[in-house]
Amino acid sequence: FFFASPGGSFDDVDDLVFAVGTGSPTLSPVPTLSPTITISPTASAHPSSAPMKSPTWAPTITLSPTTSAYPTPSTSSPTLTPTNGTELPTLSMLSPSISPTLSIFPTVSSRAPVIEATYSTTYKSPKCSMIGSGCEATASLLKSRGNLDPPEPNASNTIDDCEDGNGGVYLEDESVESISVTSINGGPLVVGTEVQIDAVVWAWNKHADTVDFWHAPLSSTITNWVLIRSVKPTKSLSLNTVSTRFVLEDEGDNAVRVVIRYSGFPLACPGGDFDDVDDLVFVVGSGGGILAATYDDTLKAPKCSSVTRACYAGPSLLKSRGTVGLGEPNAPNTIDQCEDGNEGEYLVDESIESIKVTSIDGGDLVEGANVRVEAKVWVYGYGDHADFWYAADANLPEWNFAETVNMTVEKQFDTVSTEYILPEGDLQAVRVVFRFGGNATEPCPGGFYDDVDDLAFVVKST
């Protein structure tokens, strides 16, 4: 759409202020320039959700002098002086027979290309078959909902045949118009990369409608949808771009699902008359040294079983807290069975969403190496604190205190971190305690709103 202030993540808006003279006939005659602007490709009828554009197009502005009643201009180089008195560079005058062309290209960065999805008959939904810095399913694949007029192309665009509701009218009632997944760092979609999901949705009522973001790895025959976050649109009877972020954990084919629903609760397939459910499948690479942890039934916590430069346990292993909300997978995820508090609501009160241990020098996790521990947490308020602990032996842990980080934000996700030196030991562990109030005297505080999670990992001996 055309707006003077569109506000898109990749829109560039610039102004130019200039002075207009009185048109004195004593000025040296100059040719009149008639710009012709050609922009390719043609924009879609629906805005895409923060598309990551690869530099494959360039608008061309052709300035063609128009012959006027003035005498033929001189080819000398006049000096132009603006009103502030600063002399500008001289310009060579052009005769009417010369048509210069000025090409303006977008800045080319090191970002990997964004792949445009196509409909997959295997998954029955849009899919990007190559790895890029992002994957985008535009309105040409997803616009409308079910069998509304016009109908959604290839409805229902879900890998498990979850059906859309067919109530209402297009661009009055709810619909998903586009979905994109893009890396935050501009690199390829690989294990350990934080990505942003952007969805353009049409909301009927910003108070009654909710957008749910889901993720599922497709490495098994069973699709296990994990809720990432629920977001409220900000505008009624309008297109909204809603977003969330998460970290890629699984190599191979992955899927994200966007559900816009009228009222109800967050379900992967809600089935409401006005609900639209759409999926986007994309490929995730191995990650070059970032190893995704798996749940270890012996330790009762996530574990990386081989030496790596970074070990990561994401939301599919740690999200939520205890029995709060849909419940933390394999709670409490502690190697000594330290329990979480079970009070409060998910994404209102405290929870740990992910933990990552990374060697700072980029090498493997070895004894004596300086490492950084990062935890993504949901912050309730300024009274929250993250305590970092570590143990040299994950099988018989003796917890050593590293640092406490006090929260400086509220009611949002935050990433907190600390650094320490790996002691001797071939299987070590870190613990993150995210607590409301209290103090850091105990690695198992036992508060009603406290979340405690561990991550075990193999360390190479020196």
Side-chain angles (χ1 to χ4, degrees):
F1 294 94
F2 298 98
F3 297 104
S5 181
S9 298
F10 296 92
D11 299 342
D12 191 6
V13 181
D14 294 316
D15 297 336
L16 173 63
V17 179
F18 54 94
V20 178
T22 60
S24 170
T26 60
L27 294 176
S28 299
V30 294
T32 302
L33 302 181
S34 303
T36 299
I37 303 177
T38 304
I39 300 178
S40 176
T42 304
S44 167
H46 289 270
S48 60
S49 55
M52 308 300 294
K53 307 180 188 70
S54 56
T56 57
W57 59 270
T60 298
I61 303 178
T62 303
L63 304 180
S64 304
T66 302
T67 304
S68 70
Y70 288 109
T72 302
S74 170
T75 56
S76 60
S77 300
T79 299
L80 304 180
T81 304
T83 55
N84 64 4
T86 302
E87 185 173 294
L88 296 175
T90 58
L91 302 175
S92 297
M93 299 303 296
L94 302 169
S95 68
S97 60
I98 301 176
S99 300
T101 298
L102 172 63
S103 295
I104 302 174
F105 294 87
T107 301
V108 179
S109 68
S110 58
R111 171 177 285 277
V114 174
I115 308 301
E116 185 169 335
T118 57
Y119 180 74
S120 168
T121 55
T122 301
Y123 284 114
K124 299 181 181 179
S125 68
K127 179 188 178 184
C128 294
S129 299
M130 297 184 296
I131 297 176
S133 66
C135 173
E136 180 182 16
T138 63
S140 64
L141 294 175
L142 298 180
K143 64 179 293 183
S144 191
R145 166 170 49 89
N147 61 13
L148 299 186
D149 184 17
E152 177 182 339
N154 301 302
S156 61
N157 282 302
T158 54
I159 62 178
D160 52 9
D161 295 320
C162 175
E163 294 292 334
D164 298 329
N166 292 309
V169 178
Y170 179 52
L171 293 187
E172 288 185 16
D173 298 286
E174 296 80 357
S175 66
V176 177
E177 296 294 293
S178 67
I179 305 172
S180 66
V181 178
T182 51
S183 64
I184 301 301
N185 63 10
L189 300 178
V190 296
V191 172
T193 300
E194 185 177 20
V195 297
Q196 178 163 312
I197 310 173
D198 292 302
V200 174
V201 299
W202 179 274
W204 176 74
N205 185 290
K206 66 181 181 181
H207 302 293
D209 293 341
T210 304
V211 180
D212 303 318
F213 293 93
W214 300 79
H215 167 257
L218 303 180
S219 55
S220 66
T221 56
I222 300 175
T223 304
N224 179 28
W225 291 108
V226 176
L227 178 65
I228 303 171
R229 192 179 183 187
S230 297
V231 180
K232 301 294 288 186
T234 59
K235 296 178 289 186
S236 300
L237 292 175
S238 178
L239 289 170
N240 293 253
T241 299
V242 289
S243 306
T244 192
R245 293 184 178 186
F246 77 110
V247 177
L248 300 175
E249 303 175 45
D250 300 276
E251 185 178 356
D253 286 352
N254 284 249
V256 293
R257 168 166 288 182
V258 178
V259 177
I260 183 168
R261 56 183 167 86
Y262 170 71
S263 189
F265 300 94
L267 299 172
C269 188
D273 289 340
F274 299 93
D275 299 344
D276 194 4
V277 183
D278 288 321
D279 298 341
L280 174 59
V281 179
F282 56 97
V283 182
V284 176
S286 61
I290 300 176
L291 184 61
T294 56
Y295 179 74
D296 187 280
D297 195 52
T298 300
L299 293 175
K300 306 296 181 183
K303 172 187 172 183
C304 288
S305 299
S306 58
V307 175
T308 179
R309 72 173 181 87
C311 175
Y312 174 76
S316 65
L317 294 174
L318 298 179
K319 68 177 299 178
S320 191
R321 166 172 48 88
T323 59
V324 174
L326 298 177
E328 177 182 340
N330 302 303
N333 282 301
T334 54
I335 58 182
D336 55 9
Q337 294 302 288
C338 173
E339 294 291 335
D340 298 326
N342 294 309
E343 297 297 320
E345 300 178 43
Y346 181 52
L347 296 186
V348 174
D349 299 286
E350 296 79 359
S351 66
I352 298 167
E353 298 294 293
S354 67
I355 302 174
K356 182 167 69 171
V357 180
T358 309
S359 66
I360 292 178
D361 65 4
D364 288 337
L365 297 172
V366 300
E367 296 172 346
N370 196 12
V371 296
R372 177 179 295 109
V373 185
E374 296 174 300
K376 184 177 182 180
V377 296
W378 176 266
V379 184
Y380 168 75
Y382 301 112
D384 292 341
H385 312 275
D387 305 324
F388 292 90
W389 301 77
Y390 65 93
D393 186 351
N395 292 303
L396 296 169
E398 293 184 7
W399 295 108
N400 300 281
F401 177 70
E403 185 182 5
T404 293
V405 178
N406 301 316
M407 296 301 102
T408 59
V409 298
E410 61 179 349
K411 296 179 176 58
Q412 67 182 63
F413 287 111
D414 195 15
T415 299
V416 291
S417 65
T418 191
E419 297 179 8
Y420 76 101
I421 296 175
L422 291 177
E424 294 183 357
D426 59 359
L427 183 62
Q428 302 189 25
V430 294
R431 166 166 289 182
V432 180
V433 176
F434 195 50
R435 56 183 168 84
F436 173 71
N439 54 65
T441 57
E442 295 292 336
C444 187
F448 292 141
Y449 297 92
D450 298 347
D451 195 3
V452 183
D453 288 322
D454 297 342
L455 174 59
F457 52 95
V458 174
V459 175
K460 184 188 299 184
S461 61
T462 54

